[in-house]
Amino acid sequence: MLVYIRTHGVSVLKCIILAMPEVIDARLQDLRSSFSSSDCHTMGPFGAYYEVTANNTNKAEALRQLTKAIGKTIDDVVCFGDSYNDLEMLQEAGLGIAVVRSCVIHICVRGCAKR
């Protein structure tokens, strides 16, 4: 995949890599050098999960665009999340709720969500 992206100049909006943790660990430097730049951010690795997202391409931005399109405000929205990629959305929503036993519950309990 990395070779294809490099040789074809593909623009990546979001890439989720699922692999055995030892495979991600072994390729982590290559992954970061391929994607980490001023226009992308990375999350992970979290066990077998590594995520690369273009800046301004996240659930919070989608939420802003959706509420604008339907004539609502962010304060009208309740969001539920269970993972690190939900943090921005939970912070943005009028009410952000972290699912019990999720990987973000300990962060959100400490004040991540607005309320």
Side-chain angles (χ1 to χ4, degrees):
M1 175 186 70
L2 296 176
V3 171
Y4 182 87
I5 289 169
R6 287 182 188 139
T7 58
H8 290 87
V10 174
S11 295
V12 177
L13 293 179
K14 183 168 188 169
C15 179
I16 297 174
I17 300 162
L18 298 172
M20 298 299 292
E22 58 272 14
V23 173
I24 290 179
D25 290 342
R27 300 295 310 267
L28 193 54
Q29 186 61 38
D30 192 30
L31 291 169
R32 286 190 172 137
S33 67
S34 296
F35 293 108
S36 292
S37 67
S38 61
D39 60 346
C40 291
H41 64 274
T42 59
M43 294 180 67
F46 306 110
Y49 180 87
Y50 189 80
E51 182 175 308
V52 181
T53 308
N55 286 339
N56 298 321
T57 304
N58 58 51
K59 293 179 182 183
E61 180 60 27
L63 191 61
R64 285 188 288 275
Q65 291 184 23
L66 176 63
T67 54
K68 182 179 178 183
I70 63 173
K72 297 291 182 181
T73 68
I74 291 293
D75 289 334
D76 295 326
V77 177
V78 175
C79 289
F80 295 82
D82 67 349
S83 187
Y84 293 101
N85 66 349
D86 297 322
L87 288 174
E88 293 161 322
M89 175 188 69
L90 294 174
Q91 290 173 321
E92 187 72 20
L95 178 59
I97 300 170
V99 177
V100 174
R101 294 189 213 143
S102 71
C103 57
V104 297
I105 190 70
H106 66 285
I107 296 168
C108 290
V109 167
R110 289 185 285 170
C112 169
K114 280 197 215 175
R115 297 180 230 165

